[in-house]
Amino acid sequence: AAGSQDVRLQRIDISGIRRTGVEVWGEHSGISIQDSAIAGDGARGAGIFELGSDDTRDMSVIRTRISGFRTHGINFAQRDYDEPSAALHAVALDNEISNIDDPAAATGTHEGGIWSGGVSAAIIGNRIHDTGWDGIQTVGSSRRVTVVGNEIARTRVGVYLEHETNESLFARNAIADVATGINVEWRYDGNGSSGNTFEGNRIVRSTETGLFVDVQGDRNRIAGNTFAGGTGPAVVLQGASGNLVTGNRACERPGQPLVVQQSAHHDDGRAAHSLRNRIEANE
């Protein structure tokens, strides 16, 4: 409840629940769930749900197994945009998350392994598979976020950047058997994602696109990624400008383009073209 500080839950098994395993609300800091197992068996909520805000910080989930929920494995649920210090320093480290699926929905509003909406979050070394919509999603005020060394498989989108993810690092993630490996959402209502780095990721057997950057996903660095197998372009820049695409490699993809630039539309209907992108030394 509100006012919780310096709380550790460790080596706890939770099962037989109908909604959510652990909920954290109100003003709080320094809460950590570690070395635990949370089984939903079709429960309606999330394994761990934290409502973040400007009054919260330092929430972590470490070495915990979560499975069988309909909305999320871990939801660091800070949804406000352009907040410079909201929900600082959330951490999801070395967790295993599986079977997050709602049979009655396919809308993109839930069914995710880990969702994070705060500033300077770190999502590192997690293993996520068999989720209904995505493996990892950044929402809210995701500025200076680190998403590194995660393994994601058998979901629709491996990593999804909602339209306010900026100055963040997505590196050395292994993503397999997805429709789209990494998706950067288009800019609308004045909010968008730019200035991010995508480096050293390995995306295997994507059926639509390896890495898709939508309208005004500008000034990103896409470097040293590997795209193996699958169909469709490895990298798509759709109405996205000022990006650097360099040193990427595609293999076991005969006849599939490595980089595609195409036009789309802004939310007000104006044409959005891909301009001033540097595409070099890809193979």
Side-chain angles (χ1 to χ4, degrees):
S4 297
Q5 297 180 357
D6 299 322
V7 177
R8 182 175 64 187
L9 307 177
Q10 192 168 25
R11 293 189 296 274
I12 294 174
D13 288 346
I14 301 174
S15 62
I17 53 178
R18 290 178 291 182
R19 190 172 181 90
T20 297
V22 177
E23 292 188 352
V24 183
W25 295 81
E27 181 180 348
H28 59 269
S29 65
I31 296 180
S32 186
I33 296 97
Q34 304 178 12
D35 303 297
S36 295
I38 306 174
D41 298 322
R44 299 191 308 274
I48 296 170
F49 176 89
E50 181 225 9
L51 187 60
S53 71
D54 279 331
D55 297 320
T56 71
R57 61 180 298 139
D58 300 324
M59 173 78 187
S60 63
V61 185
I62 300 171
R63 296 182 304 272
T64 291
R65 300 189 312 276
I66 301 171
S67 65
F69 289 87
R70 294 194 179 184
T71 65
H72 306 90
I74 299 169
N75 189 2
F76 299 135
Q78 200 293 119
R79 300 304 303 269
D80 293 332
Y81 297 126
D82 202 25
E83 295 289 336
S85 59
L88 277 170
H89 302 147
V91 173
L93 173 66
D94 194 20
N95 302 289
E96 182 164 349
I97 299 172
S98 63
N99 300 311
I100 308 300
D101 183 60
D102 182 353
T107 61
T109 59
H110 57 291
E111 298 183 287
I114 299 173
W115 281 25
S116 175
V119 176
S120 297
I123 314 298
I124 299 175
N126 301 282
R127 298 167 300 285
I128 303 167
H129 58 88
D130 299 291
T131 60
W133 193 263
D134 54 25
I136 295 170
Q137 181 165 328
T138 54
V139 301
S141 299
S142 289
R143 186 175 297 274
R144 299 186 302 278
V145 171
T146 302
V147 179
V148 172
N150 301 282
E151 298 177 8
I152 302 167
R154 298 187 297 279
T155 185
R156 181 170 178 79
V157 180
V159 177
Y160 192 104
L161 282 68
E162 202 189 47
H163 66 157
E164 189 66 27
T165 302
N166 299 286
E167 302 169 21
S168 295
L169 173 66
F170 300 83
R172 300 191 301 279
N173 299 291
I175 301 171
D177 300 315
V178 295
T180 299
I182 299 173
N183 188 91
V184 182
E185 191 176 65
W186 69 314
R187 181 178 294 270
Y188 63 91
D189 293 338
N191 300 109
S193 298
S194 61
N196 298 299
T197 296
F198 305 92
E199 185 170 4
N201 300 287
R202 180 175 176 82
I203 298 172
V204 178
R205 294 184 297 275
S206 60
T207 58
E208 294 181 4
T209 308
L211 196 159
F212 187 95
V213 183
D214 213 340
V215 172
Q216 284 192 279
D218 298 342
R219 303 184 307 281
N220 300 293
R221 183 173 185 269
I222 302 168
N225 302 285
T226 299
F227 304 89
T231 55
V235 177
V236 173
L237 304 176
Q238 178 168 283
S241 299
N243 295 282
L244 172 63
V245 184
T246 184
N248 300 285
R249 180 170 179 264
C251 56
E252 301 176 7
R253 296 170 53 83
Q256 304 299 315
L258 202 156
V259 181
V260 168
Q261 299 185 77
Q262 60 195 37
S263 298
H265 293 88
H266 297 279
D267 57 350
D268 61 3
R270 292 179 298 116
H273 303 296
S274 295
L275 305 170
R276 302 179 302 281
N277 295 302
R278 290 173 52 198
I279 301 173
E280 57 191 30
N282 302 287
E283 62 181 47

